[in-house]
């Protein structure tokens, strides 16, 4: 899968497109094929290093907090979702996904 990442804090020139492995799916998780993602003011502050207390100093880091897409796989414990559901949501700074709606 492709990710927009950065390996150091800085301006837009630190961003790079990288090919990464699809993460293993936990029992209470869902895998979403992203159709759209945004880069908003929070993302800018994070990759510029203005929020290190929240983001930490470990690299690489990914950009794009808000997203929409389609569920590709569902862990056995994620009972409110099914493959093919259209979703939108955001990624918490702690990198856990919280969904606003499960259908749109």
């Amino acid at each position: 899968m492709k990710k927009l990442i950065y390996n150091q804090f800085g301006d837009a020139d630190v961003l790079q497109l990288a090919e990464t492995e699809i993460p293993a799916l936990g029992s209470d998780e869902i895998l979403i094929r992203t159709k759209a993602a945004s880069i908003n003011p929070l993302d800018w502050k994070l990759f510029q290093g203005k929020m290190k207390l929240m983001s930490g100093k470990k690299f690489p880091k990914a950009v794009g907090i808000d997203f929409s897409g389609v569920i590709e796989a569902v862990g056995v414990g994620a009972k409110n979702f099914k493959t093919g559901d259209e979703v939108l949501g955001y990624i918490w700074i702690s990198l856990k996904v919280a969904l606003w709606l499960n259908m749109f």
Side-chain angles (χ1 to χ4, degrees):
M1 81 180 181
K2 293 184 180 173
K3 275 185 172 179
L4 188 59
I5 65 166
Y6 56 102
N7 290 300
Q8 64 186 41
F9 296 118
D11 290 325
D13 59 334
V14 301
L15 300 176
Q16 56 186 298
L17 193 58
E19 190 70 36
T20 62
E21 295 288 323
I22 295 174
L25 188 63
S27 67
D28 62 344
E29 297 178 331
I30 57 177
L31 178 65
I32 300 168
R33 177 175 294 275
T34 303
K35 299 281 185 155
S38 69
I39 297 178
N40 60 44
L42 180 56
D43 291 295
W44 283 94
K45 289 176 184 175
L46 288 169
F47 77 75
Q48 288 176 338
K50 295 179 180 177
M51 300 179 75
K52 291 178 190 169
L53 289 175
M54 292 178 73
S55 68
K57 297 179 182 176
K58 186 178 176 184
F59 294 100
K61 297 181 182 300
V63 177
I65 293 173
D66 308 308
F67 67 89
S68 68
V70 177
I71 295 177
E72 285 211 338
V74 179
V76 294
K79 305 212 183 283
N80 295 324
F81 302 98
K82 65 183 183 310
T83 302
D85 282 350
E86 293 179 316
V87 296
L88 62 98
Y90 64 94
I91 299 173
W92 292 95
I93 297 301
S94 66
L95 302 182
K96 301 224 181 224
V97 175
L99 295 174
W100 294 327
L101 300 173
N102 69 345
M103 302 284 289
F104 59 99

